[in-house]
Amino acid sequence: MRKPLVVANWKMNGDFASNEALYAALRAGLDASVSNAVDIAICPPFPYLGHSTAWLTDTPIRLGAQNVAATSNGAFTGEVSASMLADVGCHWVIIGHSERRSMYGETDADVAAKLSLALASQLSVIACVGETLQENEAGQTEAVLARQLDALVSTFAKAPAIMCVVAYEPVWAIGTGRSATPEQAQAVHCFIRAYLAGKGVSQADEIRILYGGSVKPANALSLMSMPDIDGALVGGASLVADDFLSICRASAVA
Ligand code: PGA
């Protein structure tokens, strides 16, 4: 039985006051029936990680980062290492988000390096995969995902399933308001799970596969009800406490 996981990816949004208010609203609105049934994580921008540990004290919500360096500590100006993220209280880290891949040139090799370093620092990983609209329309979805998953499989095969999460985020659904349908997403999640198993990830059945891309309160229940959709990676809707809480509630009952 895979426990659902709902992750807020705040991206580069917010400031000290708005973040504090958002955390307060989440704390006030989260009931135990939801937090017992669903793992919840918040990934704020780097400068707010330290304060976030205080804002999240005595809540079941875990802290995550949106990115991590592909190297360990040293002369890498502007980078943030896995050991630093663990040191400031992160439990999770997102790697390979399509915005990192498309805007900052992150490669599959970078994602593989980040994965190993994160796990070595005891961080649990949310590894993003997903095809562009052009790749989707050209019928290349499975080939693209296979290439992106190949960067993960040898490390996933040796790691505890609980620390390894895949997020399927079709690039055409991110921030566009056009989510994949539950059936489309289910078919891809099923492919991802089978691909992992076929590549020697023996615990593929235990690995959580999240859907991301325009998840909103209105579509969360239908997406989360699919058998291979084990939670959500939420961008825009995670900036509104009521919307994020409603997605968490939908995941709890799905
Ligand atoms: P969105 O973003 O929910 O705003 O589409 C999802 C993501 O990029 O993780």
Side-chain angles (χ1 to χ4, degrees), residues 34-122:
V34 175
S35 59
N36 288 338
V38 181
D39 288 336
I40 300 172
I42 309 278
C43 303
F46 283 143
Y48 304 104
L49 288 172
H51 291 292
S52 295
T53 51
W55 285 327
L56 291 174
T57 304
D58 297 331
T59 77
I61 302 174
R62 290 187 137 148
L63 186 62
Q66 299 172 17
N67 186 27
V68 63
T71 56
S72 43
N73 294 355
F76 301 100
T77 302
E79 292 291 297
V80 177
S81 69
S83 62
M84 291 172 183
L85 295 179
D87 195 33
V88 298
C90 287
H91 178 89
W92 293 103
V93 64
I94 298 171
I95 60 172
H97 191 279
S98 66
E99 287 155 14
R100 303 292 324 163
R101 293 179 191 260
S102 67
M103 292 191 261
Y104 303 98
E106 191 161 311
T107 63
D108 293 326
D110 294 329
V111 176
K114 291 176 180 205
L115 172 63
S116 299
L117 287 164
L119 292 173
S121 287
Q122 300 308 313

Side-chain angles (χ1 to χ4, degrees), residues 1-3 5 125-127 149 152-153 155-167 189 192-193 196-197 200-210 227-231:
M1 180 68 184
R2 297 179 296 264
K3 187 174 183 188
L5 168 66
V125 169
I126 301 149
L149 292 169
L152 310 175
V153 285
T155 308
F156 269 26
K158 293 176 283 189
I162 195 76
M163 297 178 75
C164 300
V165 171
V166 176
H189 283 226
I192 291 171
R193 199 177 303 289
L196 293 175
V201 181
S202 59
Q203 74 282 32
D205 270 346
E206 294 161 53
I207 286 181
R208 289 178 286 189
I209 305 178
L210 313 184
D228 285 289
I229 301 184
D230 307 315

Side-chain angles (χ1 to χ4, degrees), residues 9 21 38 62 134 140 151 161 170 215 222 226:
N9 175 10
V38 181
R62 290 187 137 148
Q134 203 185 12
Q140 294 168 347
V215 178
S222 58
M226 290 289 153

Side-chain angles (χ1 to χ4, degrees), residues 9 11 94 97-99 128 169 173-177 212-216 233-237:
N9 175 10
K11 306 193 181 182
I94 298 171
H97 191 279
S98 66
E99 287 155 14
C128 302
E169 298 206 303
I174 295 177
T176 60
S214 297
V215 178
K216 308 283 177 211
L233 179 54
V234 187

